[in-house]
Amino acid sequence: MNLPTKGLWVSFLFVLLYQGTSVLADKQQPKQTPGLIGDEEAFSFAVDPALLWPRGIVYYEIDSKFSKEQKMAIGKSMNYIISNLHPGCIQFRPRKPSDMFYVYIQPHDSECKSTIGRKIQSRMSTLYLGDDCFESPGTVLHELIHTLGAAHEHIRPDRNLFVEVDCDGIENRFKNAFTRKINRYDKTSSTPYDLRSVMHYRKKEIEFASKDNNNTVLKVREAYAHLSDLSEDPPLELTATDIIEISRNYDCGLKPGIKEKYVKYVNEITIALLNHLKTNCLEPKKDDDHACYGGYDVASKYVDEWKKYDDKSNDYQTAKKMLAEIFNDVDQIQSNIMFTEEIDFNDCP
Ligand SMILES: [Zn+2]
């Protein structure tokens, strides 16, 4: 496998976050979180509707310097998105001069990066694709999903329940890319943490962010190892959860089969989460207090429920209800932490 230059993957770690939505964000957020300038509107998808493309129509311009093959790869990713969503949910249309808001897709020496959603102030969103960005089929897809409004999965507020981050092993300049979005407005939105999301860092990005090319600085916790080990390059694939988040934000229906896939994943991740809580969180462990959010009361509560749930492992409504309750409790704990502790937002706790 050809590894891209470090420059590429360095850049892949970042997406351009910007101040374009500050008008609405200011109204919604009387208290800004220090250190999260520009990030506050998104956790797994843009919370600020102004970031979304009206009627799901994304106007784009592709720089002529791309090769024919590269242009085809971009088109293939766009078609993949369109074909996996309900008809008409998202459309990509070449920009005419009268189209004010658009994304300019352009080459770059080494970087793969995109603004999150629509850029309000300058009106031109940017998506940069260096030559190496075409090596893994999922990379172009990943950047296009940023353009639709999605942020990285592994910076969700609840990520520590699912993955373990070794902040000390990450180069200082990359720590920000591993910092959870801890904010009173960042909620879990009742979609489960998605270890297979196209928006989750994988082995290459993790290795390149580490101090010594070590892919364990972000690793899946043991209880979820059967769901993903993050070792694959991003495939040209949206998970059911990715599709549901896009569809929910753009107010679309779902194609047949997506709900069933989602139900299956909700069940899998819920059982794994309850196993994780049961194994690790019945009493505080000093060496890894992130594993349970410090939420030992939550863990005890849900471990009590665990056997009841285990008998009904195909019961989607039960799984969904439990997940919602867990997320609600975690959000509450999150808020308490936020208002009672000093957090270094330039670190990655
Ligand atoms: Zn990204």
Side-chain angles (χ1 to χ4, degrees):
M1 174 173 42
N2 291 327
L3 278 175
T5 61
K6 183 140 185 166
L8 162 67
W9 290 104
V10 164
S11 310
F12 188 73
L13 297 173
F14 298 101
V15 290
L16 301 178
L17 295 164
Y18 52 88
Q19 74 287 9
T21 58
S22 58
V23 177
L24 187 58
D26 285 345
K27 279 187 199 161
Q28 291 177 334
Q29 300 177 24
K31 273 188 180 176
Q32 291 284 328
T33 306
L36 277 181
I37 297 164
D39 287 25
E40 58 274 1
E41 72 279 354
F43 90 91
S44 70
F45 221 95
V47 172
D48 181 349
L51 285 170
L52 303 175
W53 297 81
R55 293 173 290 134
I57 303 173
V58 181
Y59 294 98
Y60 68 90
E61 184 175 331
I62 299 181
D63 192 287
S64 61
K65 288 194 285 292
F66 282 115
S67 71
K68 187 179 162 193
E69 289 74 24
Q70 289 172 334
K71 285 177 189 165
M72 282 173 65
I74 295 167
K76 188 175 176 185
S77 285
M78 288 178 175
N79 286 333
Y80 176 84
I81 293 169
I82 292 165
S83 63
N84 278 276
L85 298 172
H86 200 264
C89 180
I90 295 292
Q91 299 173 55
F92 291 97
R93 290 189 190 168
R95 178 212 177 208
K96 297 190 296 296
S98 57
D99 298 320
M100 289 191 301
F101 293 92
Y102 68 106
V103 56
Y104 182 35
I105 305 175
Q106 56 198 303
H108 195 278
D109 289 346
S110 58
E111 302 192 354
C112 319
K113 60 183 181 181
S114 168
T115 41
I116 288 187
R118 204 167 59 128
K119 196 156 186 173
I120 304 302
Q121 287 177 340
S122 70
R123 298 177 177 177
M124 185 184 82
S125 304
T126 49
L127 196 165
Y128 292 100
L129 295 169
D131 286 345
D132 293 338
C133 311
F134 295 90
E135 286 188 353
S136 300
T139 304
V140 177
L141 178 65
H142 174 104
E143 300 306 334
L144 283 169
I145 304 301
H146 277 315
T147 301
L148 294 181
H152 287 138
E153 186 75 0
H154 57 273
I155 56 172
R156 277 173 58 126
D158 59 341
R159 69 103 190 274
N160 286 336
L161 287 168
F162 304 92
V163 294
E164 188 175 351
V165 177
D166 169 20
C167 291
D168 294 338
I170 297 169
E171 286 190 30
N172 282 341
R173 59 193 168 134
F174 298 138
K175 283 187 176 175
N176 195 38
F178 290 81
T179 303
R180 282 182 301 144
K181 291 184 172 294
I182 301 174
N183 181 306
R184 62 191 298 190
Y185 297 96
D186 290 329
K187 303 295 182 189
T188 46
S189 283
S190 333
T191 48
Y193 190 87
D194 187 2
L195 287 157
R196 301 177 191 137
S197 171
V198 74
M199 304 315 291
H200 205 298
Y201 275 4
R202 312 285 172 112
K203 185 168 175 276
K204 276 186 199 166
E205 301 95 298
I206 297 165
E207 280 178 356
F208 274 89
S210 74
K211 284 177 179 167
D212 52 0
N213 221 31
N214 174 2
N215 68 6
T216 62
V217 293
L218 191 165
K219 64 182 179 190
V220 175
R221 292 193 183 279
E222 203 177 337
Y224 316 93
H226 59 295
L227 297 176
S228 172
D229 61 5
L230 302 179
S231 63
E232 310 260 320
D233 287 341
L236 184 65
E237 187 176 298
L238 293 170
T239 64
T241 311
D242 290 330
I243 290 171
I244 287 200
E245 287 181 3
I246 296 167
S247 302
R248 190 176 283 172
N249 277 278
Y250 282 95
D251 203 16
C252 308
L254 295 173
K255 290 186 79 169
I258 302 299
K259 172 108 189 270
E260 289 74 12
K261 279 189 192 165
Y262 180 66
V263 167
K264 184 169 180 289
Y265 184 71
V266 170
N267 278 289
E268 287 172 342
I269 195 81
T270 304
I271 290 173
L273 172 60
L274 291 169
N275 273 321
H276 167 74
L277 295 173
K278 185 182 175 189
T279 307
N280 298 289
C281 304
L282 285 182
E283 53 190 57
K285 288 183 182 175
K286 281 182 184 156
D287 58 334
D288 185 11
D289 58 359
H290 289 314
C292 310
Y293 262 82
Y296 301 103
D297 293 342
V298 176
S300 300
K301 176 178 164 186
Y302 288 105
V303 168
D304 286 343
E305 293 284 316
W306 181 78
K307 279 196 173 150
K308 205 168 19 173
Y309 177 74
D310 200 33
D311 295 336
K312 300 179 180 179
S313 57
N314 292 317
D315 181 348
Y316 172 60
Q317 291 305 331
T318 306
K320 196 174 158 195
K321 183 165 171 281
M322 285 195 70
L323 265 186
E325 286 176 14
I326 291 170
F327 289 155
N328 190 45
D329 284 348
V330 169
D331 282 340
Q332 192 55 50
I333 291 165
Q334 194 73 50
S335 301
N336 292 341
I337 291 171
M338 159 129 185
F339 290 113
T340 56
E341 291 181 20
E342 292 240 339
I343 293 174
D344 179 359
F345 287 99
N346 293 314
D347 204 342
C348 47

